[in-house]
Amino acid sequence: MQFKYDIIVVGAGHAGCEAAAAAAKLGSQVLLITPDMNKIAQMSCNPAVGGIAKGQIVREIDALGGRMGMITDATAIQFRMLNRSKGPAMWSPRAQSDRMRFMEAWREIVEHEPNLFLWQDSVRSLIIGQGAVAGVRTTLGVEFHARAVVLTTGTFLGGMMHFGERMIEGGRIAEPAFHGITEQLRDLGFRTDRMKTGTPARIDGRSVDFSLTTEQCGEEDHHRFSYMDTPRRVLRQRSCYSLYTNTECHDILRQELDRSPLYNGQIQSIGPRYCPSIETKIVTFADKDMHQLFLEPEGETSNEFYLNGFSSSLPWEVQIAALQAIPALRHVHIYRPGYAIEYDFFDPTQLRHTLETKLVKGLFFAGQINGTTGYEEAAGQGLIAGINAHMQCQAAGEFTLGRDEAYIGVLIDDLVNKGVDEPYRMFTSRAEYRILLRQDDADMRLTPKAEAIGLADCKRVELLREKTLLRDKLIDFAHKFSLKPELINPQLEAVGLLPLKQGIKLYDLLLRPQIGMNEICEMVPSFKRVIEEIPVTRRDEIVEAAEILIKYDGYIKRERAMADKINRLESIRLPQHVDYMQMQSLSTEARQKLTNIRPETIAQASRIPGVSPHDISILLVLCGR
């Protein structure tokens, strides 16, 4: 008996779920294979979605018709917009989710999506012939055939967990590792290596003295992840709590460093630079007497807390002793200790921008198998891989995103062109066009692209058209309406601005950072009526979008012009006498790597891992461009 599908997706994590759901929605017959149907889209580490740059990726996933944003909104127990003190290009949404509800929501989607089928099993090898993938073989001995396969295996390929000196095979605690795929692909010529990540202990909230912590509440304004008109904050909202390590805690950890797999030679692979273990922190920042930690709830009613900032692979008894040295955790009880995990990944320079491998036609990689870290980065890759797997099956071309179109485009371009030498995490600093890639307008940038390939449904498209119409109506009114000095001067003086001596267009007044549309509408009845025509559920979102376009119009146009010209700058040569260590505008990592490697051109510099697009912009200034 032969089982045939258009596409097989291996692994039901965040990448696998987005890949399978997108391909199925586009019309392909998709089989999603997972070893545990009760852990679909498991939040293996932090029970949170979004954050700096990551939140922008989730907004882009939603704008393209993906599901992560809607599921996060439906399961959020706290929402915050980070970086509000900076400009809109830096605003980043972040939410705590109920971990169990998040998995339940994804399970409901994959079980009810037409064209999407599930199989509970592990894949031990691929079926490959004449340079193209043809299907998979499972541990149960079943062969499934397909024209495309998307591998989203997370940390399960050759997974090895480290609990101090104890090593246990597994891709996640209490879950077995996968063997066979790495070895098969290595024999075909794929370059593979090992990476390391880790996770902290889970805390019983009943054993925490919260009076010795600082509470961090969520926000209740209009912001959310999805552009769809869906309910928000439907679950009971919960607080996070901050606290600090101390010298006593550090001393306990320092005395046991020889038992840490990171420092006794047990772990050889490289971990994430920007999410270091507590052992790494006390060694790298030996002059620091304390490090900030966060207690983050795992669910709406759960007592389980994630201890952000205390990732560790030390023996469990050392972790407990160190935690008990922190006053708020003096009587701490843990559900399980932290641990490190090593796993196989493949050099992503072996991929095309579609995420199809160069060596095997029809084989796509997405997520941690490409050397990335984070749910959001994985989901973004999964969405692009799923779309392209479908388009290849239909001979319908390719779907890719440029660096000036999406953070997802930046992510994939970095992976394909630069490769990785440590787990890749997205930051706003990696994108040279941050003003173009704001979280507020991902729908404007990407939903028309999703509509063109059939991934955006009619409701999403109609919501975008309505938003565009109402936003542009506000901007047009601001261009045409003139304000008299006597009407606006009291407001200007109230915020410390000089009064006007003559009339001014509302548009020009809004260019001032201290004045916003909401303040103006209370003084200008005709403008208030225009705002009140916007549906209440979308009013704040649309007013904010219009105001951002007005206030940042000059910056947006300048960055757009830069994006249009950047391709002509690839042949610019770098002076060889430059002392990069004296260029403080460059990141520390960029100064070190540019000094060591001495690239001859801007293009070479851009492909060095750790040299960000922002660093490249600084080098362009150096070259007088």
Side-chain angles (χ1 to χ4, degrees):
M1 180 182 296
Q2 276 202 350
F3 300 96
K4 291 185 177 180
Y5 297 87
D6 294 317
I7 300 165
I8 295 171
V9 178
V10 181
H14 303 276
C17 286
E18 291 287 0
K25 186 174 181 179
L26 288 169
S28 286
Q29 296 289 300
V30 181
L31 178 66
L32 177 60
I33 301 178
T34 176
D36 192 342
M37 288 175 56
N38 294 316
K39 293 183 179 177
I40 289 174
Q42 162 82 300
M43 304 181 96
S44 308
C45 201
N46 195 351
V49 170
I52 306 301
K54 293 169 174 282
Q56 283 89 327
I57 290 176
V58 180
R59 295 280 272 172
E60 291 172 356
I61 290 169
D62 184 77
L64 286 168
R67 315 300 174 86
M68 178 177 262
M70 288 186 286
I71 290 176
T72 302
D73 286 340
T75 62
I77 54 177
Q78 187 189 96
F79 187 98
R80 296 179 68 194
M81 183 65 74
L82 306 183
N83 274 349
R84 282 183 183 271
S85 62
K86 301 180 181 180
M90 305 298 285
W91 294 355
S92 301
R94 183 183 188 274
Q96 295 290 135
S97 281
D98 184 306
R99 186 168 57 86
M100 299 303 293
R101 299 274 186 90
F102 191 94
M103 288 191 292
E104 290 169 2
W106 257 118
R107 167 99 183 234
E108 183 174 353
I109 284 176
V110 299
E111 278 199 301
H112 293 88
E113 180 69 44
N115 304 320
L116 177 53
F117 305 91
L118 290 165
W119 179 264
Q120 185 168 331
D121 200 348
S122 299
V123 172
R124 61 181 176 86
S125 65
L126 303 170
I127 302 172
I128 297 173
Q130 298 181 336
V133 72
V136 302
R137 297 184 182 91
T138 75
T139 302
L140 294 178
V142 183
E143 287 193 1
F144 293 102
H145 294 264
R147 290 182 284 172
V149 173
V150 184
L151 288 183
T152 67
T153 48
T155 60
F156 284 83
L157 290 182
M160 179 65 71
M161 297 178 290
H162 299 263
F163 300 81
E165 300 91 344
R166 183 178 294 273
M167 299 167 61
I168 303 174
E169 274 203 356
R172 201 159 46 203
I173 193 165
E175 296 182 59
F178 299 165
H179 295 284
I181 293 176
T182 300
E183 295 77 7
Q184 180 186 15
L185 293 179
R186 186 188 293 122
D187 290 342
L188 288 173
F190 281 85
R191 297 185 302 277
T192 182
D193 208 337
R194 301 277 283 174
M195 277 190 177
K196 170 260 173 187
T197 189
T199 191
R202 302 307 194 268
I203 305 295
D204 185 340
R206 295 171 298 180
S207 65
V208 177
D209 186 347
F210 287 102
S211 68
L212 299 177
T213 67
T214 301
E215 184 175 11
Q216 293 187 332
C217 299
E219 299 170 354
E220 293 294 336
D221 65 7
H222 70 281
H223 290 108
R224 54 185 165 187
F225 280 107
S226 181
Y227 292 96
M228 300 296 282
D229 194 9
T230 53
R232 58 183 178 85
R233 317 289 199 275
V234 294
L235 300 185
R236 179 171 69 91
Q237 300 298 285
R238 296 190 64 181
S239 296
C240 295
Y241 301 85
S242 67
L243 62 163
Y244 290 86
T245 61
N246 53 34
T247 54
E248 182 184 354
C249 171
H250 293 185
D251 289 342
I252 293 171
L253 295 169
R254 198 172 286 114
Q255 291 167 9
E256 301 291 345
L257 281 179
D258 61 336
R259 301 182 67 190
S260 169
L262 294 175
Y263 292 98
N264 64 12
Q266 189 172 308
I267 289 179
Q268 298 292 329
S269 51
I270 299 173
R273 175 189 303 267
Y274 301 104
C275 187
S277 67
I278 191 64
E279 301 99 286
T280 302
K281 289 180 183 179
I282 65 171
V283 171
T284 305
F285 308 103
D287 58 320
K288 301 292 184 183
D289 293 330
M290 62 178 66
H291 293 287
Q292 191 171 24
L293 308 176
F294 297 91
L295 283 165
E296 303 176 347
E298 293 262 355
E300 182 184 22
T301 60
S302 175
N303 286 320
E304 186 177 1
F305 280 79
Y306 177 94
L307 186 58
N308 197 337
F310 205 88
S311 178
S312 179
S313 59
L314 281 162
W316 64 267
E317 64 270 20
V318 177
Q319 294 184 42
I320 292 175
L323 291 174
Q324 289 177 339
I326 301 171
L329 304 178
R330 188 69 69 187
H331 305 291
V332 71
H333 173 80
I334 67 173
Y335 288 125
R336 66 167 173 78
Y339 62 95
I341 180 169
E342 289 184 289
Y343 57 95
D344 300 334
F345 79 99
F346 292 87
D347 180 354
T349 62
Q350 301 169 107
L351 300 174
R352 306 181 191 280
H353 279 77
T354 60
L355 297 181
E356 182 186 21
T357 66
K358 296 174 182 177
L359 291 178
V360 177
K361 182 177 175 59
L363 179 61
F364 295 78
F365 291 170
Q368 285 178 286
I369 193 173
N370 289 335
T372 63
T373 182
Y375 310 143
E376 304 83 1
E377 290 88 341
Q381 293 172 71
L383 183 64
I384 299 302
I387 292 171
N388 279 295
H390 164 81
M391 296 183 77
Q392 186 178 95
C393 290
Q394 302 300 318
E398 298 179 347
F399 184 85
T400 59
L401 297 172
R403 298 185 70 92
D404 60 334
E405 293 178 311
Y407 272 93
I408 297 173
V410 175
L411 164 66
I412 294 175
D413 188 63
D414 279 352
L415 293 176
V416 172
N417 288 330
K418 299 182 180 181
V420 294
D421 59 2
E422 61 187 58
Y424 181 103
R425 178 180 180 180
M426 180 54 72
F427 292 101
T428 52
S429 61
R430 295 191 190 273
E432 58 269 55
Y433 309 118
R434 293 186 290 277
I435 297 177
L436 300 181
L437 306 184
R438 306 181 313 278
Q439 61 83 32
D440 66 277
D441 77 334
D443 54 343
M444 299 291 175
R445 291 182 274 122
L446 300 177
T447 296
K449 293 178 177 294
E451 180 186 12
I453 63 173
L455 195 55
D457 58 29
C458 294
K459 183 178 180 182
R460 183 179 293 278
V461 173
E462 181 56 37
L463 285 171
L464 174 63
R465 288 174 179 161
E466 179 188 55
K467 177 180 175 179
T468 304
L469 177 67
L470 295 172
R471 181 203 65 183
D472 292 349
K473 187 174 182 179
L474 285 177
I475 295 174
D476 184 60
F477 183 94
H479 271 295
K480 295 177 180 177
F481 188 81
S482 295
L483 285 166
K484 298 184 182 300
E486 58 269 22
L487 183 64
I488 195 64
N489 280 344
Q491 177 67 21
L492 296 179
E493 292 171 344
V495 295
L497 296 176
L498 292 175
L500 298 176
K501 294 182 180 180
Q502 60 186 23
I504 188 174
K505 292 292 184 182
L506 174 56
Y507 185 95
D508 295 323
L509 182 65
L510 287 170
L511 294 177
R512 304 188 181 194
Q514 300 91 340
I515 298 293
M517 283 189 172
N518 288 326
E519 291 86 359
I520 297 296
C521 78
E522 295 302 322
M523 294 178 289
V524 183
S526 56
F527 186 48
K528 186 175 184 179
R529 286 194 293 272
V530 175
I531 290 179
E532 288 177 344
E533 291 176 4
I534 303 172
V536 175
T537 56
R538 308 192 71 199
R539 186 173 299 164
D540 290 337
E541 172 197 356
I542 293 172
V543 169
E544 181 180 270
E547 190 169 318
I548 289 172
L549 284 184
I550 291 173
K551 290 186 180 297
Y552 292 87
D553 181 56
Y555 298 102
I556 292 170
K557 288 178 178 176
R558 185 173 66 183
E559 199 159 273
R560 181 72 265 164
M562 180 180 176
D564 293 339
K565 294 178 181 178
I566 198 68
N567 288 334
R568 300 206 301 262
L569 306 177
E570 286 295 308
S571 61
I572 298 175
R573 301 187 69 81
L574 283 166
Q576 292 301 296
H577 63 276
V578 176
D579 185 357
Y580 293 110
M581 297 306 294
Q582 297 302 314
M583 297 181 65
Q584 297 301 312
S585 296
L586 296 172
S587 67
T588 300
E589 186 180 0
R591 294 200 300 271
Q592 293 171 348
K593 292 191 174 182
L594 288 169
T595 298
N596 292 333
I597 298 172
R598 286 284 165 187
E600 294 183 0
T601 67
I602 290 287
Q604 290 178 19
S606 71
R607 291 192 288 270
I608 298 173
V611 178
S612 72
H614 172 73
D615 297 320
I616 296 300
S617 297
I618 299 299
L619 295 178
L620 287 170
V621 174
L622 169 69
C623 295
R625 301 300 182 101

